[in-house]
């Protein structure tokens, strides 16, 4: 475990703050370090250790947080340097951002709502309202989402829920009375502790579907997902780090430029969907399919 013991007169340091498996974060940090100048100091730090040693942080340092909880905790105590969040949804980031008193940004997981709607319009012809289930963990601009949906011939129905299993399943049953699809957002609290699996099982039995926020959801039973892989996210984080170290500040929060799309073959077949070709996905939507994504 790495402690915050960098000398006060040392060059700017980059800390990767996490609350996950040590081995996976070490691997992630190693991959990130290969994208940075050789003299960059980058260290993985467990969230609890960072919070205990936050006074060691310098104005020139940058903190990269892994996940929404680390971003929330770091923002609540950090008064120096800057923070960049990764593996976090846009709506999660916006909900926490106001707690940050230092420059902050993010590399978003998932994909822009407009891009997801655009692809959905091309493959899904049922114009019943799309159900949006979400927790207190998100800050949602319902009016903006409704405007975007209308541009593609859809309508959203929103329902906030508590995140315990019973509340979530009740909410799914209720919101799907007038819908056949859940349009999911990246919501760590809502989908933790097996909720995602329970929701997808319920949808399968009801012959209803979900547009997932990640490839893992496609494997578990969602219709499709648009997302970015870890390498692309880390490349975007490296851009933030280089910009900060060069004195230009952190870049604006954004999704990575390169997005993938994956479809669930069973659900595609059972719903009679004709998929666009890989070349059409690239030309029309700017997406690379799993089959052709270099």
């Amino acid at each position: 475990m790495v402690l915050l013991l960098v000398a006060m007169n040392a060059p700017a340091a980059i800390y990767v703050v996490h609350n996950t498996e040590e081995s996976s974060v070490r691997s992630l940090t190693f991959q990130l370090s290969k994208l940075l100048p050789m003299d960059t100091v980058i260290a993985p730090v467990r969230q609890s250790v960072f919070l205990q040693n936050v006074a060691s942080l310098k104005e020139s340092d940058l903190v990269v947080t892994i996940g929404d909880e680390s971003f929330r905790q770091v923002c609540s105590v950090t008064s120096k340097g800057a923070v960049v969040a990764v593996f976090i949804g846009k709506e999660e980031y916006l909900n926490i951002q106001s707690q940050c008193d230092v420059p902050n940004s993010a590399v978003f997981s998932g994909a822009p709502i407009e891009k997801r709607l655009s692809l959905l319009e091309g493959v899904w012809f049922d114009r019943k309202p799309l159900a949006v289930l979400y927790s207190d963990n998100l800050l949602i601009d319902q009016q903006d989402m409704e405007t975007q949906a209308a541009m593609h011939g859809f309508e959203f129905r929103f329902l906030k829920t508590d995140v315990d299993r019973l509340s979530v399943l009740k909410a799914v049953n209720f919101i799907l009375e007038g819908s056949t699809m859940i349009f999911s957002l990246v919501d760590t609290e809502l989908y933790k502790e097996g909720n995602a699996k329970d929701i997808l099982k319920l949808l399968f039995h009801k012959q209803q579907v979900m547009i997932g926020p990640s490839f893992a959801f496609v494997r578990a039973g969602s219709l499709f997902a648009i997302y970015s892989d870890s390498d692309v996210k880390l490349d975007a984080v490296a851009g933030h780090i280089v910009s900060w170290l060069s004195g230009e500040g952190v870049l604006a929060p954004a999704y990575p430029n390169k997005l993938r799309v994956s479809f669930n073959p069973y659900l595609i077949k059972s719903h009679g969907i004709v998929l666009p070709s890989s070349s059409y996905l690239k030309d029309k939507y700017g997406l690379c399919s799993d089959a052709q994504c270099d």
Side-chain angles (χ1 to χ4, degrees):
M1 185 177 295
V2 180
L3 301 180
L4 293 176
L5 297 176
V6 178
M8 293 301 290
N9 59 352
I14 312 300
Y15 298 110
V16 179
V17 178
H18 67 96
N19 197 25
T20 57
E21 285 287 335
E22 297 286 349
S23 58
S24 62
V25 174
R26 283 197 299 270
S27 175
L28 182 148
T29 304
F30 175 72
Q31 295 298 321
L32 181 59
S33 68
K34 294 194 296 184
L35 302 172
L36 299 171
M38 292 185 62
D39 59 346
T40 305
V41 179
I42 179 169
V45 185
R46 184 157 286 280
Q47 180 180 304
S48 58
V49 176
F50 177 87
L51 297 177
Q52 294 167 10
N53 294 272
V54 69
S56 302
L57 205 65
K58 306 190 305 295
E59 292 287 356
S60 58
D61 293 340
L62 181 71
V63 181
V64 177
T65 61
I66 306 297
D68 67 313
E69 179 59 24
S70 287
F71 181 54
R72 179 181 291 105
Q73 292 296 323
V74 168
C75 278
S76 69
V77 300
T78 303
S79 59
K80 295 179 180 178
V83 183
V84 175
V86 67
F87 299 104
I88 189 171
K90 180 179 180 180
E91 291 76 18
E92 290 179 322
Y93 169 77
L94 293 175
N95 191 42
I96 302 169
Q97 183 189 29
S98 61
Q99 300 176 21
C100 262
D101 294 327
V102 297
N104 61 89
S105 189
V107 175
F108 299 137
S109 294
I113 290 172
E114 193 284 331
K115 189 174 288 289
R116 302 173 81 204
L117 287 168
S118 180
L119 178 58
L120 186 61
E121 181 184 14
V123 300
W124 188 257
F125 304 110
D126 185 343
R127 290 302 186 257
K128 288 183 179 178
L130 306 174
V132 179
L133 199 65
Y134 66 102
S135 72
D136 275 330
N137 199 42
L138 305 190
L139 178 62
I140 291 181
D141 186 338
Q142 292 190 14
Q143 183 175 351
D144 180 64
M145 286 186 63
E146 288 167 351
T147 299
Q148 293 188 64
M151 293 173 62
H152 296 279
F154 292 107
E155 175 188 348
F156 282 129
R157 293 180 64 220
F158 299 91
L159 182 62
K160 183 186 288 188
T161 179
D162 293 332
V163 297
D164 62 281
R165 180 177 183 272
L166 183 58
S167 296
V168 169
L169 293 181
K170 283 183 176 179
V172 172
N173 275 309
F174 176 78
I175 201 169
L176 286 176
E177 288 180 0
S179 306
T180 57
M181 175 181 290
I182 290 180
F183 188 94
S184 66
L185 302 172
V186 178
D187 191 337
T188 306
E189 289 298 311
L190 176 62
Y191 294 117
K192 69 180 183 181
E193 298 177 357
N195 280 348
K197 182 182 291 186
D198 289 337
I199 292 171
L200 288 167
K201 283 182 178 178
L202 180 58
L203 292 175
F204 177 79
H205 290 302
K206 286 177 168 287
Q207 296 185 320
Q208 296 168 316
V209 293
M210 172 190 284
I211 302 301
S214 69
F215 178 58
F217 275 73
V218 177
R219 288 186 298 182
S222 69
L223 184 65
F224 72 78
I226 303 174
Y227 61 96
S228 56
D229 61 24
S230 294
D231 288 344
V232 174
K233 288 187 179 75
L234 291 182
D235 189 61
V237 172
H240 283 271
I241 294 173
V242 170
S243 179
W244 175 255
L245 295 178
S246 67
E248 298 177 5
V250 291
L251 304 174
Y255 293 93
N257 291 329
K258 190 174 182 179
L259 295 173
R260 294 172 175 257
V261 60
S262 292
F263 298 93
N264 184 300
Y266 172 81
L267 292 176
I268 291 297
K269 183 177 180 180
S270 63
H271 287 278
I273 295 173
V274 178
L275 292 182
S277 66
S278 295
S279 59
Y280 189 80
L281 286 169
K282 186 67 174 177
D283 295 341
K284 172 72 173 179
Y285 304 106
L287 300 170
C288 62
S289 66
D290 283 340
Q292 296 184 9
C293 199
D294 48 27

